[in-house]
Amino acid sequence: MPGALEGTLVVALEQAVAAPFATSRLADAGARVIKLERPEGDFARGFDDYVRGQSSYFVWNNRGKESCRVDLTQAQDLRLVEAMLAQADIFIQNLAPGATDRLGIGSATLRARHPRLVVCDIGGYAPGTADESRKAYDLLIQAEAGLAGVTGSASSGPTRVGISICDISTGQAAYAAILQALLQRERTGKGSHLQIALFDTIAEYLNVPYLTRRYGGKEPSRAGLAHPSIAPYGVFHASDGDILIAIQNEREWKVFCDEVLVDGTMTSDPRFERNTARVRHREELDRRVQDRLGRFSLSELSALLDRVRIAYGRVSTMEDLAHHPSLTTLPVATPEGAVDLIAPPVIVDGRRQALRPVPRLGEHDQALRREFGGRNESTEGPIDV
């Protein structure tokens, strides 16, 4: 909610996607977010150069922040960060396991010094697990957690989800957990230590295929553009393009048979009478549905489905999305000029919030060093990280 976190200070020792996603949402809500970057910058700045020579990942997830370069092997810079943390409400970090402890700013140390501080550690695997110390990135977790194994088609083999879903979902989980911790602090006066792992986040999302395997005894198949446990629910081919159709319940199935298939016998056929039976006989079901739908053009079929209130979706490209009539974009200022981002989904009191600028690397170095008592040059020896 715009302005809800005004006056809240977030210090973010972050990189890549998961933590920056969370802190960009905190910034959208009005928090002041100080993004601590290594001297060469968050490596996500170099993931690509598609957005006016800037990284699409960085532009998306770093709006509304202040960029401060620090070298935490230098005592001067470490003291600067400690001065920031002394005033912070939230500290979020996703460095390699154990890095903040070696720097002397681990969660236990910080919580002892600053009892009201909310500390959020994001990692690949949960503390205390066998893989805690392993490096972990989005695609690796997609494979390790089994997401890739239930994604794609039977012929394609395991497939990556087309976005960094483990990072994004973990960032969203961190954002929600931080908001809960702030609400708890309002009641108790005490902060919290939050630990969130990419593996845990995406594994929790996989409960349906997990439960299917563990208690149903069936390894879920890769269904491509079809729902694994509902039928008909998948892609069909009109005369001039593809369309996804979804039947969610028996009432809709009857309407679909009567009004679209124009075949009332389908609802009384024991192979298709109920959803569980339809799934078992999906191949024959889809063949019969396709025979009918192939006679329509996309525009004719869309108009019919709209009239009888059957859900459907077109199979879009990113070019289609860019021109979709339901898409909302908002401008955001970047060091290389304004760009349009797809708007955050929440509408508050009928309005979407404006997006604050994306920072240039080190844009706020001098101002932050003055504010928190540091100097522009490091004068002390290195700290062993």
Side-chain angles (χ1 to χ4, degrees):
M1 186 172 296
L5 296 182
E6 188 173 346
T8 302
L9 176 59
V10 181
V11 176
L13 188 56
E14 61 180 18
Q15 56 194 359
V17 179
F21 181 99
T23 54
S24 71
R25 275 55 187 176
L26 295 169
D28 285 347
R32 181 187 183 190
V33 178
I34 299 174
K35 180 181 180 71
L36 302 174
E37 300 193 58
R38 61 191 71 200
E40 65 273 23
D42 180 346
F43 57 78
R45 288 182 180 270
F47 277 176
D48 61 58
D49 59 358
Y50 299 140
V51 187
R52 301 186 186 277
Q54 305 163 108
S55 165
S56 53
Y57 285 87
F58 193 88
V59 167
W60 176 38
N61 283 322
N62 289 282
R63 58 184 182 262
K65 303 179 186 179
E66 301 171 44
S67 171
C68 184
R69 291 172 293 182
V70 292
D71 179 355
L72 295 181
T73 67
Q74 301 298 314
Q76 170 73 18
D77 282 7
L78 189 55
R79 285 198 299 269
L80 172 69
V81 172
E82 289 173 339
M84 293 176 178
L85 291 170
Q87 298 184 35
D89 297 284
I90 300 160
F91 176 53
I92 183 168
Q93 67 87 21
N94 66 334
L95 301 188
T100 53
D101 289 321
R102 292 190 293 272
L103 289 164
I105 53 172
S107 56
T109 299
L110 291 178
R111 294 279 292 112
R113 292 178 188 167
H114 313 297
R116 286 179 55 82
L117 184 66
V118 174
V119 178
C120 180
D121 296 328
I122 295 178
Y125 297 90
T129 64
D131 296 310
E132 176 183 2
S133 63
R134 286 175 61 187
K135 285 188 175 182
Y137 304 117
D138 183 273
L139 180 53
L140 306 182
I141 296 295
Q142 288 197 35
E144 185 88 23
L147 176 60
V150 296
T151 304
S153 66
S155 60
S156 71
T159 304
R160 172 187 180 269
V161 173
I163 58 175
S164 298
I165 188 64
C166 300
D167 284 329
I168 294 165
S169 58
T170 301
Q172 187 68 57
Y175 174 53
I178 289 167
L179 295 181
Q180 292 175 6
L182 291 176
L183 287 172
Q184 178 173 281
R185 192 179 72 172
E186 285 297 305
R187 294 195 300 270
T188 67
K190 296 180 180 179
S192 301
H193 178 209
L194 310 173
Q195 296 169 291
I196 303 172
L198 274 69
F199 182 88
D200 288 359
T201 302
I202 209 65
E204 198 271 336
Y205 283 18
L206 287 162
N207 257 308
V208 168
Y210 160 80
L211 292 169
T212 298
R213 179 63 187 88
R214 179 158 184 178
Y215 297 101
K218 179 181 179 182
E219 188 71 30
S221 60
R222 293 183 295 277
L225 277 179
H227 196 289
S229 55
I230 304 174
Y233 192 156
V235 67
F236 297 94
H237 313 293
S239 62
D240 58 348
D242 293 343
I243 191 168
L244 272 161
I245 293 177
I247 302 299
Q248 288 281 354
N249 53 56
E250 301 311 320
R251 181 190 59 78
E252 287 185 353
W253 171 237
K254 185 177 188 310
V255 171
F256 185 68
C257 290
D258 291 344
E259 302 292 338
V260 180
L261 301 182
V262 195
D263 184 354
T265 66
M266 294 281 282
T267 56
S268 58
D269 189 320
R271 296 173 299 171
F272 311 128
E273 190 175 6
R274 301 196 62 79
N275 178 67
T276 50
R278 292 195 294 273
V279 171
R280 286 196 297 270
H281 298 92
R282 187 192 295 270
E283 185 175 348
E284 174 62 14
L285 172 73
D286 286 354
R287 185 191 66 76
R288 294 179 64 168
V289 172
Q290 179 59 55
D291 284 347
R292 173 63 174 164
L293 299 189
R295 306 173 190 176
F296 294 93
S297 69
L298 277 175
S299 60
E300 292 169 339
L301 185 55
S302 298
L304 174 57
L305 294 171
D306 280 332
R307 180 174 65 80
V308 299
R309 301 290 294 164
I310 294 296
Y312 68 93
R314 291 171 286 270
V315 183
S316 297
T317 65
M318 286 301 99
E319 180 67 16
D320 295 330
L321 176 62
H323 298 95
H324 199 289
S326 293
L327 182 71
T328 300
T329 62
L330 290 173
V332 61
T334 79
E336 300 302 324
V339 301
D340 287 333
L341 282 181
I342 297 175
V346 179
I347 300 171
V348 180
D349 296 330
R351 299 179 62 183
R352 295 186 191 262
Q353 65 195 80
L355 302 180
R356 294 188 285 171
V358 176
R360 184 180 68 253
L361 175 60
E363 181 175 343
H364 304 90
D365 282 356
Q366 294 187 13
L368 288 167
R369 289 179 183 277
R370 286 194 299 268
E371 179 180 354
F372 291 97
R375 296 189 297 275
N376 289 325
E377 299 84 23
S378 295
T379 58
E380 303 291 336
I383 299 291
D384 183 12
V385 180

